[in-house]
Each structure stands twice: as structure tokens, then as C-alpha cells.
Amino acid sequence: MQLGGGQKPCQNNYGRDRSIDIAKGIGIILVVYGHLVNPIHREIFLFHMPLFFLLSGYFFSTEKGWTTFIKDKIRKLIYPFCCFYFLSFLFRLCIEKGNLYESFCVGIYDEVSRQFISINTPLWFLLALFEIFIISFLTEKYVKKVWVKIIITGIITLIGYESAMHERYTIIPFLSQACMGYIFFRIGYWLKMKNTLKKKVSIFAISLLILGYGIGVTFNVTTDLFLLKMDSNYLLFFIPALCGSLLITYLSKYFQ
């Protein structure tokens, strides 16, 4: 038995698969709900940020030149970051009556990323995603052999894992978090290149995804990319994160 048989993905006038936008919408709802006091906080955190990295990878393209690409990402990611950061900084400065400078500079060498973003913590994702876009663009443009790309992905993933195990923040803000999310971004891009998300999916495949996500729930796995928290067994982090992300992506087709 297969799901979605005979139905074409619902698209807008520009040929964009709206189910992906629905998946992003579900992800946003989960992010908001996950940060509230609720009984399924841990279950949501198992996959909600990997989901956004995966969906971002799905829309990644190298058709533009380097200059156009970097300008586009600065406009979409860095400008919003700077704007909201500056407004948050002013707001916090007014509330704390001048004490913000002191708290901001404490431990600036050892915890530069955490101190830097303490003004508005949700903004970490914009910087991490920007860094992933840059790395992926350079990889796709200048690395032709697939096996080399796989090795690069493995090395970046290892850096993210080691950073999480030692809670080691980098001088470049959120590069550690970017390394943790990079593999999901690459999987999203691979799914697009293989046109996988538009193909029929069997009940058996959905069952496997539920099982994979259930592993994280059963073993009480705790995941938080922002705080560099992940299980010491990488598979207990990766499998539930990937399976949960794919579940939302596939099931979103039935909310169209």
C-alpha cells in the first residue's frame, strides 16, 4: 500500500510544492509550542531544528553566481539578524539600565557565541544557516566528486559532534551549531536532486520513520542544537532527528 498514489503535489503558479511550505508552517508551530511549558517539549526538540535545516537544503540552489548568491543570503539572513539584534539590544539596554555591557562581555573568549546571542537567542539559527549556505555553495561549485562531498560532510559532522560533546563554542558565532545541522541540510538538497519527496511513499516506509523517531522517545534522548546538547551515541541523535523531519515533510502533503 502506498500513500499519495495518483495525486500530484499541489503547486502554486511558480511550480513550488506547497507541501514543503506547509511543513515549514508546522515546524514554526512546533518551535513556538516547544518553547512553552508543555509535556512534549523533549519530543519536539528531537527534530524541530533539523527539520528546518532539511527544508532549507531542499530549496538550496547553485544556479546563481557567487556574488549574486552571497548578496541574496545577506539580504535574507544577515540583514534581518542585524535589524532584530539591534532592536533587541536597545530594548535590553533600556530594561537593564546600562548593565547590559558588563553582562555581555563576561566570558567573551570562552563563550563568545553564547554571550553574543544572549541578546535574542532565537537569532542563532539565521547565522548558522548563513554559514551552512556558504559552505554548501563552495562545496557544490568547486567539488565535483561525490565521494569527496561525502567526506566533507562527514568531517563537518564530526566537528559538530565533538563541539557538542565538549560544549565547545567557536570564535565564529554558531559555527558549531552549523556543523551539527549541516548533514540535514545536505540530505534535504539530496532529496531535491533525486526528486524523492515527490515520489509515492509506502506505509512500510512511514512505519520505519515512526519507528526511527520512536527510538529517540523510548531512550529519552535529549536534543538542543542551540545549547549543543546531543546524545553521546550519535545515532540516537541523528536517527530520531531525521525520521521526525521526514515524517513531518511527508505527512504535510495531506494537509494541502
Side-chain angles (χ1 to χ4, degrees), residues 11 25-26 39 56 62 81 91 135-136 147 150 166 178 184 194 201 221 229 233-235 241 251:
Q11 297 180 333
I26 294 173
S56 298
T62 58
F81 171 84
F91 179 74
I135 297 171
S136 294
W147 65 269
I150 294 175
H166 299 90
F184 301 103
K194 298 297 182 181
V201 56
V221 175
K229 289 185 178 180
N233 183 333
Y234 183 78
L235 291 179
L251 294 179

Side-chain angles (χ1 to χ4, degrees), residues 2-241:
Q2 292 180 318
L3 298 176
Q7 279 192 322
K8 293 182 179 179
C10 185
Q11 297 180 333
N12 59 23
N13 294 333
Y14 300 96
R16 180 173 174 134
D17 187 350
R18 288 194 296 182
S19 67
I20 303 299
D21 293 320
I22 292 173
K24 291 169 68 175
I26 294 173
I28 291 172
I29 293 173
L30 290 176
V31 167
V32 174
Y33 186 64
H35 283 82
L36 300 175
V37 178
N38 67 82
I40 57 171
H41 169 88
R42 183 178 57 82
E43 287 77 5
I44 292 175
F45 268 61
L46 283 175
F47 70 91
H48 75 315
M49 294 316 298
L51 170 64
F52 280 107
F53 284 121
L54 186 144
L55 294 177
S56 298
Y58 186 81
F59 289 114
F60 173 65
S61 172
T62 58
E63 293 180 357
K64 300 176 182 178
W66 167 253
T67 303
T68 304
F69 179 84
I70 194 68
K71 286 182 178 179
D72 180 64
K73 297 310 171 190
I74 289 175
R75 178 176 61 85
K76 292 181 178 179
L77 297 173
I78 301 303
Y79 283 175
F81 171 84
C82 292
C83 179
F84 285 106
Y85 186 90
F86 180 70
L87 292 175
S88 301
F89 184 87
L90 291 179
F91 179 74
R92 288 277 297 275
L93 188 62
C94 292
I95 290 179
E96 301 191 12
K97 299 179 181 180
N99 294 326
L100 182 61
Y101 177 79
E102 180 180 352
S103 64
F104 176 73
C105 292
V106 173
I108 194 68
Y109 178 77
D110 294 329
E111 297 185 358
V112 62
S113 292
R114 184 154 48 190
Q115 295 294 330
F116 176 68
I117 208 66
S118 64
I119 306 300
N120 190 335
T121 53
L123 294 178
W124 73 269
F125 178 74
L126 296 180
L127 286 187
L129 185 59
F130 178 79
E131 292 159 2
I132 289 176
F133 270 122
I134 299 303
I135 297 171
S136 294
F137 186 89
L138 294 175
T139 301
E140 286 300 313
K141 279 291 186 181
Y142 301 109
V143 179
K144 304 303 179 183
K145 295 185 180 298
V146 176
W147 65 269
V148 177
K149 294 178 183 179
I150 294 175
I151 291 177
I152 291 174
T153 300
I155 293 174
I156 292 174
T157 299
L158 181 61
I159 293 173
Y161 174 78
E162 286 297 318
S163 297
M165 290 300 97
H166 299 90
E167 295 187 3
R168 185 177 299 151
Y169 290 79
T170 58
I171 294 300
I172 301 175
F174 302 109
L175 183 60
S176 296
Q177 287 84 346
C179 290
M180 291 175 67
Y182 184 78
I183 189 170
F184 301 103
F185 184 95
R186 296 300 300 181
I187 290 174
Y189 180 65
W190 178 82
L191 290 174
K192 181 185 76 170
M193 298 305 293
K194 298 297 182 181
N195 209 29
T196 302
L197 295 182
K198 294 182 179 179
K199 295 178 181 179
K200 299 175 183 178
V201 56
S202 66
I203 291 294
F204 178 71
I206 292 294
S207 300
L208 288 180
L209 293 178
I210 294 174
L211 178 62
Y213 171 68
I215 290 175
V217 176
T218 303
F219 286 91
N220 294 316
V221 175
T222 299
T223 297
D224 191 325
L225 267 63
F226 169 60
L227 296 178
L228 295 180
K229 289 185 178 180
M230 63 184 295
D231 198 273
S232 58
N233 183 333
Y234 183 78
L235 291 179
L236 286 180
F237 156 73
F238 177 74
I239 293 177

